[in-house]
Amino acid sequence: MDYPKSVPSVGLLDGRFVDENPVAGTPGSLIPAVWGNAVTEEILSVINGAGLTPAEGDNRQLLKALRALLALASPMATAITNVAVSKALTASELGLVLVDATNGATTISLPPADGNLGVRDVIVRRLDNSSSRLVVRAAGTDKVRFHTHLAPAGYPFLVLMGSGDWWHLRSDGAGNWWPIGRFDSTPLGRIAFETTALLSPGGYGPLNGAVFSRSDWPWLWDHAQQSGALTSEAARAGAEGGWTSGDGSLTFRGPEGRGEFIRLCDEGRGADPARSLGSWQIDLFRSHRHELKSDMLGVPVVSAPSGAPDALFNQANFSLGFTENTGGAETRPRNIAYTGRIKLI
């Protein structure tokens, strides 16, 4: 856009319009039709681009259009979208997306993170605390770039676990959604103790040796494979604290920690050598012996010299008897029981 400088007859002064001056005898500027139409088309392009319908009687449409376009140009638009069923989000619905998955498994599909979308933000937050699976999936071959230490390209989807769990994602216009923030960024696979029997939101599950689907939990399967604590299901006995390859094709198994004490892996110190990560160890007393003494070997020791040592039980030819059984099924210190949890995403 510019003044109609290419039309010499319009009477511009220093390239700008001027009013008629009767005293000086100078004419005012004329507005050629081509220029007037061009200005109108420029304004209409903005109004149409914002999705509005031009209306001759509305003199605030340009302002409305600019506000709408500026909201879309910002990474975080002002939209708040409530969802209760599976839904593919449009660009205009990005912003804060509140999802209630009470009715069953729910998938929220993101729009393509391409050049048309550009740099946009979305916060997806879960409202319900049901056991329904809630998936946030990227479009086509797009990826969500989380846990890139396991898979540099990221993963095609993530899951929201528990009421209040949320992820803040930003598109880069090149096929990727990058995590900007999330409810709980604790490292994947981290073990935690809880003072509640409920599962806290943010990606936690029970530390109970559960069997997982590789396709439902690809990042967790990658973690298991790279952990150094992966065995086959047949070799699980004695390695219950690690991961197993499940059925060998579709599943894998997580660590079992219920009812167990946790001990740091030796890692070359020599205090608890020859232990593999996740290996199980039975309870044990430190090696020692007990001495049972007696003044007799079945008959009175009349001729025993004064101060002669008592006989050791294991040197006697007969039993001096046994103590009563005491204790329980295991050796353990005084302790408090808390629920064990493992970070699954």
Side-chain angles (χ1 to χ4, degrees):
M1 256 334 284
D2 200 354
Y3 288 92
K5 299 174 183 178
S6 63
V7 184
S9 63
V10 297
L12 299 180
L13 180 62
D14 296 327
R16 292 177 175 271
F17 294 115
V18 294
D19 292 327
E20 178 184 5
N21 188 340
V23 176
T26 56
S29 300
L30 299 177
I31 298 179
V34 65
W35 186 87
N37 290 333
V39 171
T40 305
E41 288 298 329
E42 288 272 7
I43 297 174
L44 290 177
S45 293
V46 177
I47 294 173
N48 289 322
L52 302 177
T53 301
E56 186 177 352
D58 188 348
N59 294 330
R60 294 176 58 84
Q61 279 198 299
L62 181 59
L63 177 61
K64 295 175 184 177
L66 288 174
R67 286 176 173 172
L69 292 173
L70 286 173
L72 292 176
S74 171
M76 177 55 74
T78 57
I80 298 179
T81 303
N82 287 276
V83 180
V85 294
S86 294
K87 178 178 177 60
L89 297 176
T90 64
S92 63
E93 292 172 318
L94 297 181
L96 177 59
V97 180
L98 305 175
V99 187
D100 186 341
T102 303
N103 294 328
T106 304
T107 298
I108 302 300
S109 300
L110 301 171
D114 54 19
N116 292 328
L117 183 68
V119 179
R120 293 292 306 279
D121 283 25
V122 62
I123 296 176
V124 187
R125 182 184 178 106
R126 182 165 187 162
L127 299 178
D128 67 289
N129 205 35
S130 70
S131 59
S132 301
R133 183 175 172 86
L134 173 52
V135 173
V136 178
R137 181 175 293 277
T141 59
D142 289 358
K143 293 291 192 295
V144 183
R145 298 293 288 270
F146 70 101
H147 295 329
T148 52
H149 65 293
L150 299 172
Y155 297 90
F157 65 90
L158 59 89
V159 293
L160 292 175
M161 302 177 64
S163 177
D165 193 11
W166 59 266
W167 284 58
H168 180 178
L169 305 173
R170 177 170 294 169
S171 64
D172 62 4
N176 301 293
W177 290 90
W178 295 86
I180 302 300
R182 56 179 294 192
F183 177 80
D184 190 313
S185 57
T186 303
L188 179 68
R190 179 73 59 87
I191 291 175
F193 296 118
E194 287 280 7
T195 57
T196 173
L198 301 176
L199 291 174
S200 297
Y204 292 90
L207 189 63
N208 63 355
V211 175
F212 297 91
S213 163
R214 298 185 188 186
S215 60
D216 286 346
W217 304 90
W219 53 86
L220 195 61
W221 172 232
D222 286 344
H223 172 79
Q225 293 179 91
Q226 299 176 41
S227 68
L230 179 66
T231 64
S232 67
E233 190 72 15
R236 181 170 181 254
E240 290 88 342
W243 306 83
T244 81
S245 54
D247 65 3
S249 60
L250 301 178
T251 68
F252 65 103
R253 185 186 295 273
E256 170 67 89
R258 294 171 297 177
E260 303 288 357
F261 293 101
I262 307 299
R263 182 174 188 173
L264 294 183
C265 195
D266 186 274
E267 294 191 284
R269 183 184 180 192
D272 184 33
R275 295 284 304 282
S276 59
L277 180 64
S279 61
W280 182 84
Q281 191 178 62
I282 196 170
D283 56 341
L284 187 69
F285 275 119
R286 183 169 182 172
S287 177
H288 64 285
R289 70 176 186 175
H290 294 276
E291 186 179 20
L292 298 179
K293 297 182 178 181
S294 172
D295 288 334
M296 296 183 177
L297 292 176
V299 295
V301 183
V302 178
S303 60
S306 176
D310 294 336
L312 294 175
F313 173 67
N314 61 5
Q315 293 175 341
N317 295 321
F318 61 94
S319 172
L320 295 182
F322 299 93
T323 61
E324 293 183 0
N325 289 328
T326 60
E330 62 180 359
T331 301
R332 62 171 182 260
R334 178 175 173 174
N335 63 85
I336 296 175
Y338 290 120
T339 50
R341 302 290 181 251
I342 184 171
K343 194 70 159 48
L344 302 179
I345 182 172

